[in-house]
Amino acid sequence: QVQLVESGGGLVQAGGSLRLSCAASGLAFSSSALGWFRQAPGKEREFVATINRSGINTYYADSVKGRFTISRDNAKNTVYLQMNTLKPEDTAVYYCAQGWTSSSGTRPEEYSRWGQGTQVTVSS
């Protein structure tokens, strides 16, 4: 069973950058797609980015396209989310998730396991 642990969140000023990491333990990491989602207070969890098992294919929400980059290192069982030009509306708890298959989409139900989340706060 894969466990996911996020890190790298924190407080940053608008325009700044953060890099989130998600370390996975257990088998099946390299055979699964991975995704990042976020949830702001009072809002539903929303899709941010996904990457297929090889790392070749990525897909982003329109709201983060051009600012965020998802990547993975299968040798280290880790997925990353580089976040640049952060905006106050990016403030949320960010979650990484393991997909059911080698390529997953934007819906939470396409992901089988979730980390505990890491808080990202962007001040204006």
Side-chain angles (χ1 to χ4, degrees), residues 59-81:
Y59 184 76
Y60 298 91
D62 287 343
S63 59
V64 306
K65 199 172 297 182
R67 301 187 297 121
F68 291 11
T69 302
I70 187 172
S71 62
R72 65 190 294 167
D73 185 337
N74 287 341
K76 295 182 178 179
N77 278 13
T78 302
V79 61
Y80 304 97
L81 186 68

Side-chain angles (χ1 to χ4, degrees), residues 8-40:
L11 174 64
V12 64
Q13 289 188 333
S17 298
L18 282 174
R19 189 194 196 200
L20 305 184
S21 299
C22 176
S25 61
L27 299 177
F29 176 87
S30 60
S31 64
S32 302
L34 296 164
W36 286 96
F37 288 75
R38 65 187 182 186
Q39 188 167 19

